[in-house]
């Protein structure tokens, strides 16, 4: 009381500090002994009355504040108005404060104890993306199978969000791994299971030479039929990539092997099927004498001679006897200077017969009496007479069919030569 009395001459600021100090002391006293605290408070209030004369408005405002309006009053209930700072924590019974007792926004983050908000405390749909802190959802928070495709936004899952070995073969959709998604040299042989890479898992043209390490793709790593034509880039299959004997005839398209694809000496006799080389396959001058066997040359020579010129020559005496040559017979006709020659092998056509008298006179074979099988020779002389008369004479002859003459009578020849080759052969 003495202390309060001395405050009569203090300014307003000092008075406010003193009154606040006294109020704190009163609150402490109430906790120790409510009876003595009430007396102390009355004494303080009584002592402060002397100060009202100096600063009446300010003093009353500090010592007595208007209470907040009552909320949710009901007629059937009785209410008691409490002064400010009248109710302490240890005076509140368990469960006494419900939803109606709490003001809107009164429960802040600082009011919540750790782990006090359980699943049952949250309404369905209460936690949206805005309520989650960055990185707050860890792997341990997710139930198995909880994250489905519909839950993920476009490009929501980055490389940093994936755990090691999290992406398995079953997680990859068909044709989803493109060339751009594979780092150069990333696929090593040990990364591939047997049969793991099939045709459906590869997008067309995605495997370039830069994507493959040396010996990365073994035979066991490829499923049967996995490498189709569409999977290969132009020029991707080099000679080193083809095993010896792996390219069969069925693997080659018609006309695929051209002359520039064949190495020198690549085609030997075993590679050529019997009868495969026809006349159309041979270029001009392709077959030389060195390529022909001796027996074939002999056969060809005989046929060329027989074909080129069918000839016969000989000598006959005046009595009609053969004195030289072969392949014909002679019959002396009745009368002088007339002879019939018969050819043992008929010509292919009527031959040209040239006759030369071996004495003084002239011998000839009239064209109308020459056939492919015979010819009549007549001889004349004017040695003993004023005019030529038929006379028996020795004579020689030459009979033959030229190439052009024979070709008229041959319907099908065993060998056919061009006009230029025929002329050259005739000259030779």
């Amino acid at each position: 009381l003495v202390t309060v009395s001395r405050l009569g001459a203090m300014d307003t600021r000092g008075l406010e500090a003193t009154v606040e100090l006294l109020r704190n002391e009163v609150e402490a006293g109430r906790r120790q002994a409510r009876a003595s605290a009430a007396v102390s408070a009355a004494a303080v209030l009584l002592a402060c009355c002397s100060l009202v004369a100096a600063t009446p408005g300010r003093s009353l405002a500090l010592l007595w504040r208007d209470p907040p309006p009552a909320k949710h009053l009901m007629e059937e209930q009785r209410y008691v108005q409490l002064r400010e700072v009248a109710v302490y924590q240890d005076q509140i019974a368990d469960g006494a404060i419900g939803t109606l007792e709490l003001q809107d926004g009164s429960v802040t983050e600082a009011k919540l104890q750790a782990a006090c908000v359980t699943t049952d405390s949250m309404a369905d749909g209460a936690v949206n993306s805005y309520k989650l802190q960055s990185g707050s959802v860890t792997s341990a928070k997710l139930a198995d199978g909880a994250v489905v495709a519909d839950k993920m936004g476009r490009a929501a899952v980055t490389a940093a969000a994936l755990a090691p070995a999290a992406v398995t073969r079953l997680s990859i959709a068909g044709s989803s791994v493109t060339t751009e998604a594979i780092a150069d040299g990333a696929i090593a042989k040990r990364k591939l299971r047997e049969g793991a890479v099939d045709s459906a898992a590869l997008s067309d043209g995605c495997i370039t030479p830069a994507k493959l390490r040396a010996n990365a793709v073994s035979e066991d790593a490829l499923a049967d039929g996995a490498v189709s034509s569409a999977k290969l880039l132009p020029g991707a299959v080099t000679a080193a990539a083809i095993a010896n004997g792996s390219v069969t005839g069925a693997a080659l398209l018609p006309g695929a092997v051209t002359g520039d694809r064949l190495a020198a000496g690549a085609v030997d006799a075993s590679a050529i099927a019997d009868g495969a080389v026809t006349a159309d396959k041979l270029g001009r001058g392709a077959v030389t004498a060195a390529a022909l066997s001796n027996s074939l040359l002999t056969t060809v020579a005989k046929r060329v001679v027989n074909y080129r010129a069918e000839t016969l020559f000989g000598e006959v005496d005046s009595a009609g006897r053969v004195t030289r040559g072969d392949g014909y017979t002679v019959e002396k006709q009745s009368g002088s200077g007339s002879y019939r020659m018969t050819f043992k092998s008929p010509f292919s056509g009527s031959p040209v017969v040239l006759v030369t008298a071996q004495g003084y006179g002239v011998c000839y074979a009239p064209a109308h009496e020459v056939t492919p099988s015979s010819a009549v020779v007549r001889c004349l002389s004017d040695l003993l007479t004023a005019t030529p008369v038929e006379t028996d004479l020795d004579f020689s002859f030459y009979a033959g069919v030229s190439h052009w003459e024979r070709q008229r009578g041959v319907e099908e020849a065993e060998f056919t030569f061009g006009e230029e080759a025929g002329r050259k052969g005739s000259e030779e």
Side-chain angles (χ1 to χ4, degrees):
L1 292 177
V2 175
T3 301
V4 173
S5 299
R6 292 178 180 178
L7 298 177
M10 295 180 64
D11 56 6
T12 303
R13 181 176 299 178
L15 179 61
E16 291 177 353
T18 302
V19 172
E20 184 67 22
L21 177 63
L22 292 175
R23 291 179 61 190
N24 292 337
E25 291 178 357
V26 170
E27 292 174 0
R30 286 179 177 176
R31 294 188 180 91
Q32 297 176 358
R34 296 193 178 278
S36 60
V39 173
S40 298
V44 171
L45 294 175
L46 180 62
C48 289
C49 289
S50 61
L51 302 176
V52 174
T55 56
R58 186 65 176 172
S59 299
L60 293 176
L62 293 173
L63 297 176
W64 189 272
R65 295 178 180 176
D66 295 333
K71 298 175 63 177
H72 307 292
L73 299 180
M74 301 181 182
E75 295 180 358
E76 64 272 13
Q77 297 292 336
R78 298 182 64 184
Y79 297 92
V80 177
Q81 186 175 10
L82 298 177
R83 299 299 179 183
E84 186 177 5
V85 199
V87 180
Y88 296 90
Q89 181 178 3
D90 56 356
Q91 297 173 333
I92 302 174
D94 293 339
I97 298 177
T99 302
L100 298 178
E101 283 73 28
L102 294 175
Q103 291 183 355
D104 293 341
S106 61
V107 179
T108 62
E109 182 179 359
K111 305 298 184 182
L112 298 175
Q113 292 182 353
C116 67
V117 180
T118 63
T119 302
D120 297 335
S121 302
M122 293 185 291
D124 293 342
V127 179
N128 53 37
S129 59
Y130 298 104
K131 306 299 183 182
L132 297 175
Q133 292 182 351
S134 178
S136 61
V137 180
T138 62
S139 178
K141 305 295 184 182
L142 297 175
D144 292 342
V147 180
V148 296
D150 295 339
K151 303 299 183 183
M152 294 185 291
R154 181 175 179 87
V157 179
T158 61
L162 295 175
V167 180
T168 62
R169 177 185 176 189
L170 298 178
S171 302
I172 302 175
S175 300
S176 61
V177 179
T178 61
T179 302
E180 292 76 10
I182 304 174
D184 291 346
I187 300 179
K189 181 178 179 180
R190 66 178 182 276
K191 301 294 185 182
L192 299 175
R193 290 183 180 179
E194 182 177 349
V197 179
D198 55 13
S199 182
L202 299 174
S203 60
D204 292 345
C206 68
I207 298 181
T208 61
K211 302 300 181 184
L212 298 176
R213 290 184 180 178
N215 301 319
V217 180
S218 62
E219 184 177 358
D220 296 337
L222 294 176
D224 292 342
V227 181
S228 60
S229 178
K231 305 302 181 185
L232 298 175
L233 290 175
V237 179
T238 61
I242 301 175
N244 292 334
S246 61
V247 179
T248 61
L252 296 175
L253 293 174
V257 179
T258 57
D260 56 347
R261 302 297 181 183
L262 298 175
V267 180
D268 55 13
S270 61
I272 302 175
D274 293 342
V277 180
T278 62
D280 295 336
K281 304 298 183 182
L282 297 175
R284 183 176 180 85
V287 179
T288 62
L292 301 175
S293 64
N294 292 333
S295 59
L296 180 59
L297 285 174
T298 302
T299 301
V300 171
K302 288 181 179 180
R303 295 189 179 182
V304 169
V305 170
N306 293 334
Y307 179 73
R308 284 298 186 188
E310 296 178 77
T311 59
L312 186 63
F313 61 90
E315 292 183 357
V316 180
D317 64 11
S318 60
R321 294 185 296 263
V322 176
T323 59
R324 189 177 181 184
D326 192 10
Y328 68 98
T329 61
V330 179
E331 180 183 357
K332 181 74 170 63
Q333 300 293 304
S334 60
S336 299
S338 181
Y339 308 89
R340 175 177 291 276
M341 294 187 302
T342 301
F343 309 124
K344 293 180 180 180
S345 296
F347 290 93
S348 58
S350 297
V352 175
V353 181
L354 301 177
V355 184
T356 302
Q358 299 298 316
Y360 184 81
V362 176
C363 294
Y364 66 97
H368 64 278
E369 293 184 298
V370 176
T371 66
S373 58
S374 64
V376 174
V377 177
R378 299 186 182 278
C379 295
L380 301 174
S381 178
D382 60 354
L383 179 60
L384 302 176
T385 59
T387 59
V389 295
E390 293 181 346
T391 305
D392 293 336
L393 294 173
D394 297 342
F395 64 89
S396 61
F397 73 93
Y398 172 89
V401 176
S402 68
H403 168 73
W404 311 112
E405 190 70 23
R406 179 175 186 264
Q407 193 165 357
R408 295 194 193 101
V410 177
E411 295 180 357
E412 183 177 357
E414 295 183 8
F415 293 87
T416 302
F417 297 86
E419 181 178 353
E420 181 179 350
R423 289 176 180 172
K424 183 176 181 182
S426 298
E427 293 174 358
E428 293 176 353

